[in-house]
C-alpha cells in the first residue's frame, strides 16, 4: 500500500530535527510526552504479561502451573508495575505533558529541562524495577506490608523499593511543573473560569502528587532501611509498629487512586462535550469537584485498615469521610450524563471509550461505598470483591479514559487519523473482555474466594474460567490499538488541524503542532466549550 503523503510538509515538532540525540536531549514538552508514551507502553505490556500468567494459573483450582512462591511474585510485580509504572504516570506524563502548554496557549512548560529530567528519572527507576524482576522478583504485593517485607520475604524488596522511591521524584517534579505552568503561563484572556477542564483536573492531580508522593517515597525507603538494619521503625520486636506502615502507605496510596482517576476525568470532560456538541453542564461544579476530590482524598486513607486493628471510633470517622468523597465524583458523572442529554451525540471511538468509562467507573465507585461500609467490609475484605472493585476503577476507569484520550488526540500528536473501524472494534473488544474478566470476580468475592491465593476450592472454577476467557479477549483488545496506531503513522489519512471540529486552543494550531505550538501567542476572548455557538458540523466517525 502506498504511503499517504501529508498535504504540505510544514515544519512541526516531529520533523524539525532527526536522530536519537535530538530526542534524548529534547526539552520540547511534546517530544517528552512521546518519550513517556513509549516507555509507559512498554511497562504496560510487562504488567500485562504478569496478568496473563495470573489468569492462566487460575484456570484450574489446583496450583499446578507454578509454585505458590512464583505466584506471589506474579501478582506482586503485576501490581507494582501497573500502579507505579503505568497508571500513575500514564495520563499526566503522556497527554498532560503534550497538551497542557498547548491548551493554555504557552510555548512550553515552565521548566522544560526539569521535564526532561523527570523522564530520565522515570526511566532509571523503571530499569531498576526490571532489574529487580530479572534478578528474582518481589513477592510482597504492591503494598509492601511489614513484617513480611522487612523480615520474612527473601525477594528483591530493597531494589524494588528503591525503584519506587526514585520514581516518586519523577512524579513530584512533573506535578510541580504543571502547577507553576498553570499559574504563570496562561495566554492573555485565559482566566481560571475559562480554563479547559482538562487543565483543572491536572492541576488538582498535581497538588496531590506534590503533597502525597514524598510520603510514599519515605515509607518505602524506611522499609528498605528496616529490612537492612532492623532499627525498629516497623518491627515490633525492636519497638516498631507495623500498623504505622499501613497509615503511611495508605496516606499516599488512597490519594494516589485520584492521581489515576482525576486525569481520566480530565479526558472525559473534553471528549463528552466534543462528541455531544454541547457546553459541559455545570462547568464550575466540574472544575471545583476536582479540587474537592483532591482535598477529601487525603482524609480517607484508613478505610483500608478497618480490619487492621484501628479503634471503632476511628473506623467510624473514616467510613463517613469515605462516603463524602463519592459526592464530587458523582457530581462529575451526573454532569457528563446531562451534557449528553439532548446533545448531538456521535459514536466515534473516543466517545465509545467514554461511554465505557462512565458505566464502569460508576460500578467501581458504588462498590467502593460497599467497602467503605463498616458492616460489609469485614466480610469482603481481602476477597475477590476488592479485586473487582479496584479493577473497575483502575482498568474500567483509568485505562478506558487513557485509550479514549489517546484516540482523541492521536491526530493532533501525529498528524494522522487512526482507522475508525478498527478503533470501534477494539473498543468493543475491550468493553466485552473487561466485563467478562471482572464481573465474575464480584461474585467470587461475595462467595468468599480470597485474593492472592494460587489454589482455590473447585466450586470457584467456573467463574475463574470465565474470568480468564475474558482476559484473553481483553488482551486482544489492548493489542489491536498498538498495531493500528503504529500502522496509521505511515498509512493513516492526514488529519487536518481539527478533525473533530472541536473547540480548545490545541485544535487551533497545526497537526502536528510546530515546536513552539503557536506562531504568535493566542488571545482568548471566548468561554470554554462554546459548542452551541459553533457551526454545527458533525465530527468524523458518526
Ligand atoms: C476513585 C478511584 C479508586 C481507586 C483507583 C481505588 C483503588 C483501590 C485499591 C487498589 C484497593 C485495594 C487495596 C488493597 O490492596 O487492599 C481499594 C480498596 C478499597 N477501596 Fe478503593 N478505589 C477507588 C475509589 C474508592 C472509593 C470512591 C471508595 C469509597 C467511597 C473506595 C473504598 C475502598 C475501600 C474501603 C477499600 C478497602 C477494601 C478492603 O480492604 O477490604 N475506593 N481501592
Ligand atoms: Cu482508599
Amino acid at each position: 500500500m502506498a504511503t499517504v503523503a501529508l498535504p504540505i510538509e510544514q515544519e512541526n515538532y516531529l520533523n524539525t530535527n532527526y536522530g536519537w540525540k535530538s530526542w534524548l536531549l529534547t526539552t520540547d514538552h511534546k517530544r517528552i510526552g512521546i518519550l513517556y508514551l513509549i516507555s509507559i507502553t512498554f511497562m504496560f505490556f510487562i504488567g500485562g504479561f504478569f496478568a496473563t500468567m495470573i489468569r492462566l494459573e487460575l484456570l484450574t483450582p489446583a496450583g499446578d502451573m507454578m509454585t505458590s512462591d512464583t505466584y506471589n511474585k506474579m501478582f506482586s510485580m503485576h501490581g507494582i508495575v501497573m500502579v507505579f509504572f503505568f497508571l500513575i504516570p500514564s495520563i499526566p506524563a503522556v497527554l498532560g505533558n503534550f497538551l497542557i502548554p498547548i491548551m493554555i496557549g504557552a510555548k512550553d512548560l515552565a521548566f522544560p529541562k526539569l521535564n526532561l529530567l523527570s523522564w530520565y528519572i522515570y526511566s532509571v527507576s523503571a530499569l531498576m524495577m526490571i532489574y529487580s524482576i530479572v534478578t528474582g522478583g518481589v513477592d510482597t504485593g504492591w503494598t509492601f506490608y511489614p513484617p513480611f517485607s522487612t523480615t520474612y520475604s527473601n525477594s528483591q524488596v530493597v531494589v524494588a523499593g528503591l525503584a519506587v522511591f526514585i520514581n516518586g521524584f519523577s512524579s513530584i517534579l512533573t506535578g510541580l511543573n504543571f502547577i507553576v505552568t498553570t499559574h504563570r503561563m496562561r495566554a492573555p484572556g485565559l482566566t481560571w473560569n475559562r480554563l479547559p477542564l482538562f487543565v483543572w483536573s491536572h492541576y488538582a492531580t498535581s497538588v496531590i502528587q506534590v503533597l502525597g508522593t514524598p510520603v510514599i517515597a519515605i515509607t518505602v525507603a524506611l522499609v528498605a532501611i528496616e529490612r537492612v538494619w532492623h532499627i525498629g521503625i516497623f518491627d515490633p520486636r525492636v519497638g516498631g509498629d507495623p500498623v504505622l506502615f499501613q497509615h503511611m502507605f495508605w496516606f499516599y496510596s488512597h490519594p494516589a487512586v485520584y492521581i489515576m482517576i482525576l486525569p481520566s476525568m480530565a479526558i472525559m470532560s473534553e471528549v463528552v462535550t466534543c462528541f455531544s456538541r454541547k457546553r459541559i453542564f455545570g462547568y464550575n461544579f466540574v472544575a471545583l469537584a476536582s479540587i474537592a476530590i483532591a482535598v477529601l482524598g487525603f482524609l480517607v486513607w484508613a478505610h483500608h485498615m478497618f480490619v487492621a486493628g484501628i479503634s471503632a471510633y476511628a473506623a467510624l470517622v473514616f467510613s463517613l469521610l469515605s462516603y463524602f468523597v463519592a459526592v464530587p465524583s458523582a457530581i462529575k458523572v451526573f454532569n457528563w450524563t446531562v451534557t449528553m442529554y439532548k446533545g448531538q451525540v456521535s459514536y466515534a471511538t473516543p466517545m465509545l471509550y467514554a461511554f465505557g468509562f462512565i458505566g464502569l467507573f460508576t460500578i467501581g465507585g458504588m462498590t467502593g461505598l460497599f467497602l467503605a461500609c463498616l458492616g460489609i467490609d469485614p466480610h469482603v475484605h481481602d476477597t475477590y470483591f476488592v479485586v473487582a472493585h479496584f479493577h473497575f476503577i483502575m482498568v474500567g476507569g483509568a485505562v478506558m479514559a487513557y485509550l479514549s484520550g489517546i484516540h482523541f488526540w492521536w491526530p493532533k500528536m501525529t498528524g494522522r487519523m487512526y482507522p475508525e473501524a478498527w478503533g470501534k472494534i477494539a473498543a468493543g473488544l475491550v468493553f466485552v473482555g473487561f466485563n467478562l474478566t471482572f464481573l465474575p470476580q464480584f461474585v467470587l468475592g461475595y462467595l468468599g474466594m480470597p485474593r492472592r491465593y494460587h489454589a482455590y476450592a473447585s466450586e470457584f472454577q467456573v467463574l475463574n474460567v470465565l474470568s480468564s476467557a475474558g482476559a484473553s479477549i481483553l488482551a486482544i483488545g489492548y493489542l489491536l490499538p498498538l498495531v493500528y496506531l503504529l500502522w496509521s503513522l505511515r498509512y493513516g489519512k492526514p488529519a487536518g488541524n481539527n478533525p473533530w471540529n472541536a473547540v480548545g486552543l490545541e485544535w487551533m494550531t497545526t497537526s502536528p503542532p510546530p515546536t513552539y505550538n503557536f506562531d504568535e501567542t493566542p488571545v482568548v476572548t471566548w468561554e470554554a466549550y462554546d459548542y452551541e455557538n459553533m457551526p454545527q458540523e458533525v465530527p468524523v466517525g458518526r
Side-chain angles (χ1 to χ4, degrees), residues 125-149:
S125 67
L127 287 175
M128 273 180 77
M129 191 60 223
I130 292 171
Y131 172 81
S132 83
I133 291 172
V134 295
T135 53
V138 200
D139 64 353
T140 59
W142 76 280
T143 48
F144 295 100
Y145 275 11
F148 185 66
S149 58

Side-chain angles (χ1 to χ4, degrees), residues 4 80 130 147 163 175 182 198 224 251 292 324 333 395 432 448 454 477 483 531:
V4 186
I80 298 174
I130 292 171
T182 310
F198 185 94
F251 181 79
F324 288 163
V333 171
V395 183
V432 172
H454 94 310
V483 176
Y531 279 103

Side-chain angles (χ1 to χ4, degrees), residues 83 87 142-143 145 249-250 253-254 256-258 260-261 265 300 302-307 319 321-326 329 361 364-373 377-378 380-383 386-387 389-391 393-394 451-452:
V83 169
L87 277 167
W142 76 280
T143 48
Y145 275 11
F249 181 85
W250 289 109
S253 293
H254 187 81
V257 306
Y258 300 108
M260 304 165 202
I261 218 69
M265 295 171 153
V300 302
H303 66 205
H304 296 269
M305 301 167 61
F306 289 157
V307 300
S319 170
L321 287 170
S322 298
Y323 280 90
F324 288 163
V325 201
S329 312
F361 174 75
M366 301 281 245
T367 50
L369 293 174
F370 287 44
L371 295 170
C373 170
D377 185 64
V380 287
H381 176 81
D382 266 346
T383 68
V386 175
V387 179
H389 154 70
F390 66 76
H391 283 90
I393 298 285
M394 295 171 171
R451 70 192 281 206
R452 299 183 170 178

